[in-house]
Amino acid sequence: MLENKTIRIIFLTLMGVGLAIYFSGLSIDVTRDAGKYATVAKEIFQNGNYINLTVHDEPYDQKPPLLFWLGALGFTIGGISNFWFKFPVLLLVFFGFYSAYGLGRSLYNRRVGLLTAFLMAFSLIYTLYSMDIHTDTPLQVFITFALWQLSEFIQTKRNKHWILGFAGIGFAMLSKGPIGAAIPAFAVVGHILLRKDFKFLLDYRWYLGILLSLVIVSPALIGLVNQFGWDGIVFFFWENNVGRLTGTYVQPNNDPIFYVHSLLYLFLPWSLLFYAAAFMEFKSLFTNNFKASEYFTFAGIWVFFIILNASKSQLPNYIFGIVPLIAVLTAKWIDNALIRKSQLLKFFWWTQTTVVVLLWIVIFIIAIYLFPIPEWQATLIVLLGLAATIYIFIKSKTSTARLILPSAIAFACLAWLLNTDVFPYIFSYQAPPKAARFYTENAQAGEKLFNFHYEQYELFFYSEPMAEQLSTEKEMKAVAGKSGNWIFTDAEGFEMISKLNLKPDTVLKYRHLYLNRGHRFINPKTRDEVLHPMYLIKY
């Protein structure tokens, strides 16, 4: 009884820390893609145009509007800030966990559903992309919801699930385009074909469902037609997705095993369990002549996984859409191992024990050497987490607790360090938010801020009144030197401005980290080498 009470206390504390981890990421500044998305949401909030999207007052076609609507909704409730841009998305992520529980329960049983949601909630990809918001964040939520409802529809044929399933696809497309329909299509059609239930594909509701999804995504299509004509529709359905995969729209960068090794860290601490589960799943399929109770996970994961690894454009967030299915597959085999008490359970336990030891080594390297913990609260959480991990290993006789909880505890301590110490420190070397806030706090009425020779969008989000873009050297020369004008620029832009021999009122110099070079920033010995000068000039 004492053990059960103690384990229960550890579990409830873990859930509380997990919730705190997600909320701690809401205050961290946005940058790069997230900065662009926050800027689009800010412009929607300020101009009230939810259909014709803009970024620094220029038409924007790169992503559909759902993420920006959520940000604008947050700004309407609480004002423009990091928190209110991210908070509506976080609520959606929590809904995704519930949908994942429903999907796992629908495909297998309640315990698989609970394990699926737990694996997702305590994984790096979810904590990372709930802090650094991408369109893939809402995308995977609605894919999960759609798969859950369509699984229920296949089993029950009830109209409620058919309608909700295709509504989920519509909202997934409204998050990131046709990829929101492709992944559910791979999973559902693959499942039906492999079960040889060909007549079911003739059910008229599948085709009415496509129309329902198109109605839901129509605001995105209307906005594209308004601003780009029919080329906007072609871009939405072809270039912005297929063009990225083929490399015709973005610069090719192909690594045939990119997502194999990316999952090693993205799905921490469960990535090795997933690879083991994938092996067991293929072994089971071949042993049983490719017969299985469901093919959602097989078709949904591997068709898209192969496409991604063969694509010419590869980014870690692209795999987010199938992580819920990856979690279901992993949970299924964890459940099998727990039920059978077989050698598989022993293998899983040793695998996760190894992961836990490695995680604690990483935690102490981070906390002691790479990014020393500045506050006692973080130290206390890490030490309590270590004590709880040791207690479970020594005292617990419950297979589920011994297999799952130490990994989740170690990961939670790592995620807490990242969100409360490492990421805030890294993001403190982002010059645009600092410059924008200084301008907002110190500029006089009528003064203007301009962005020159810097391609990202953070400056526009954090400045008020919003900065204006200078796209050419000629435009820069037209505003430089005029009293009341502020210019933010990088070293090359500063050199161009200096050649004009105009005397500024103030020049502020910042040390800026380009996050795509962040791997060298991690090492304290090379940290200063990757910091580049950026400037805020006032005339």
Side-chain angles (χ1 to χ4, degrees):
M1 180 63 72
L2 179 61
E3 179 199 343
N4 289 337
K5 284 184 178 179
T6 306
I7 296 296
R8 193 177 299 118
I9 291 170
I10 291 173
F11 177 76
L12 292 175
T13 303
L14 174 65
M15 297 303 289
V17 172
L19 192 63
I21 289 167
Y22 280 96
F23 274 89
S24 68
L26 299 183
S27 61
I28 298 173
D29 282 345
V30 294
T31 188
R32 295 180 63 82
D33 284 348
K36 181 195 297 184
Y37 303 149
T39 301
V40 177
K42 177 181 177 180
E43 293 197 22
I44 290 175
F45 170 68
Q46 292 183 333
N47 63 31
N49 194 333
Y50 286 76
I51 302 299
N52 303 315
L53 306 181
T54 59
V55 61
H56 53 63
D57 294 323
E58 295 180 0
Y60 176 79
D61 64 350
Q62 297 296 303
K63 296 292 186 292
L66 183 61
L67 175 60
F68 316 133
W69 291 350
L70 291 170
L73 173 63
F75 298 154
T76 302
I77 297 171
I80 296 172
S81 67
N82 294 325
F83 180 92
W84 285 106
F85 172 63
K86 299 179 184 182
F87 182 61
V89 182
L90 181 60
L91 294 180
L92 200 61
V93 168
F94 291 160
F95 173 69
F97 294 154
Y98 179 75
S99 297
Y101 160 72
L103 177 62
R105 183 186 61 185
S106 178
L107 294 177
Y108 291 101
N109 56 56
R110 183 174 179 271
R111 185 155 73 164
V112 169
L114 291 171
L115 282 170
T116 299
F118 187 84
L119 298 183
M120 287 165 54
F122 288 90
S123 65
L124 182 62
I125 193 167
Y126 278 89
T127 57
L128 178 62
Y129 290 122
S130 296
M131 179 276 294
D132 184 24
I133 302 295
H134 284 62
T135 50
D136 305 85
T137 311
L139 169 73
Q140 58 82 27
V141 172
F142 288 112
I143 286 175
T144 309
F145 178 73
L147 289 172
W148 169 29
Q149 294 301 314
L150 292 175
S151 171
E152 291 292 325
F153 172 59
I154 289 171
Q155 295 177 47
T156 67
K157 308 297 190 294
R158 293 177 64 184
N159 285 334
K160 176 181 75 171
H161 300 300
W162 156 62
I163 293 170
L164 289 175
F166 278 97
I169 290 176
F171 285 113
M173 293 176 69
L174 204 56
S175 300
K176 201 176 177 174
I179 197 67
I183 294 173
F186 295 150
V188 172
V189 176
H191 174 81
I192 294 172
L193 290 177
L194 289 170
R195 294 193 66 174
K196 300 180 181 179
D197 192 6
F198 306 119
K199 289 184 179 179
F200 192 26
L201 289 176
L202 300 177
D203 191 317
Y204 72 93
R205 290 176 289 183
W206 292 116
Y207 308 98
L208 280 180
I210 294 173
L211 292 177
L212 173 61
S213 297
L214 290 174
V215 168
I216 291 173
V217 82
S218 62
L221 305 180
I222 292 169
L224 290 171
V225 170
N226 287 346
Q227 297 187 98
F228 303 96
W230 289 106
D231 288 343
I233 302 299
V234 174
F235 179 80
F236 180 85
F237 282 104
W238 187 259
E239 292 180 8
N240 200 24
N241 284 270
V242 179
R244 293 176 188 271
L245 296 178
T246 60
T248 57
Y249 177 62
V250 294
Q251 183 178 355
N253 178 30
N254 181 248
D255 173 357
I257 59 169
F258 178 82
Y259 294 99
V260 175
H261 56 72
S262 293
L263 270 175
L264 278 174
Y265 73 90
L266 288 173
F267 199 48
L268 274 175
W270 321 110
S271 44
L272 294 182
L273 284 188
F274 163 64
Y275 289 133
F279 173 80
M280 295 300 300
E281 184 74 4
F282 278 107
K283 180 181 177 182
S284 175
L285 286 170
F286 286 122
T287 302
N288 296 302
N289 297 318
F290 232 74
K291 293 180 180 178
S293 61
E294 60 87 13
Y295 299 95
F296 269 72
T297 50
F298 176 80
I301 293 172
W302 300 114
V303 173
F304 190 64
F305 192 82
I306 291 169
I307 291 171
L308 279 183
N309 277 288
S311 70
K312 302 300 182 183
S313 175
Q314 297 173 324
L315 289 171
N317 50 289
Y318 287 178
I319 204 170
F320 205 0
I322 60 170
V323 170
L325 288 170
I326 287 172
V328 170
L329 181 63
T330 308
K332 167 196 171 179
W333 282 100
I334 290 174
D335 187 52
N336 283 347
L338 291 170
I339 291 173
R340 297 175 184 176
K341 308 290 185 183
S342 60
Q343 287 295 111
L344 182 62
L345 178 60
K346 185 179 292 186
F347 173 76
F348 279 4
W349 187 85
W350 279 109
T351 298
Q352 287 310 105
T353 300
T354 303
V355 169
V356 169
V357 171
L358 292 175
L359 282 176
W360 279 112
I361 292 173
V362 169
I363 288 169
F364 281 103
I365 290 174
I366 291 173
I368 295 172
Y369 176 64
L370 297 180
F371 299 93
I373 300 175
E375 297 180 358
W376 66 268
Q377 295 95 328
T379 303
L380 179 62
I381 287 176
V382 168
L383 293 178
L384 288 175
L386 180 60
T389 302
I390 294 171
Y391 174 86
I392 292 170
F393 276 136
I394 294 175
K395 293 291 186 179
S396 178
K397 295 179 175 57
T398 306
S399 298
T400 305
R402 286 172 59 82
L403 178 61
I404 299 298
L405 286 186
S407 303
I409 292 167
F411 170 76
C413 291
L414 174 62
W416 180 264
L417 281 182
L418 292 176
N419 269 13
T420 62
D421 182 26
V422 178
F423 291 150
Y425 181 76
I426 290 174
F427 279 66
S428 71
Y429 286 95
Q430 294 297 290
K434 288 183 176 180
R437 289 181 174 120
F438 184 87
Y439 160 78
T440 300
E441 293 168 3
N442 294 279
Q444 302 298 313
E447 295 184 344
K448 292 183 178 180
L449 174 63
F450 297 91
N451 180 61
F452 177 62
H453 217 265
Y454 178 69
E455 296 181 352
Q456 301 301 326
Y457 294 81
E458 306 95 298
L459 194 75
F460 303 99
F461 178 62
Y462 289 105
S463 59
E464 192 60 45
M466 189 185 294
E468 297 179 21
Q469 177 68 27
L470 301 174
S471 301
T472 65
E473 191 171 348
K474 181 180 178 181
E475 291 179 356
M476 178 271 290
K477 290 178 179 178
V479 303
K482 293 184 179 180
S483 179
N485 285 347
W486 303 57
I487 301 176
F488 176 79
T489 189
D490 63 2
E492 188 175 345
F494 183 73
E495 185 178 351
M496 294 181 200
I497 295 171
S498 298
K499 290 178 180 178
L500 301 178
N501 294 318
L502 301 170
K503 186 176 181 181
D505 176 88
T506 305
V507 177
L508 297 177
K509 183 178 179 180
Y510 300 93
R511 303 170 76 202
H512 178 70
L513 170 67
Y514 288 91
L515 291 177
N516 57 348
R517 304 167 195 170
H519 61 285
R520 296 191 66 205
F521 185 83
I522 294 173
N523 184 351
K525 294 181 179 179
T526 59
R527 191 163 290 169
D528 287 340
E529 298 173 10
V530 294
L531 296 176
H532 295 265
M534 300 199 80
Y535 301 87
L536 179 63
I537 307 165
K538 178 192 176 184
Y539 292 98

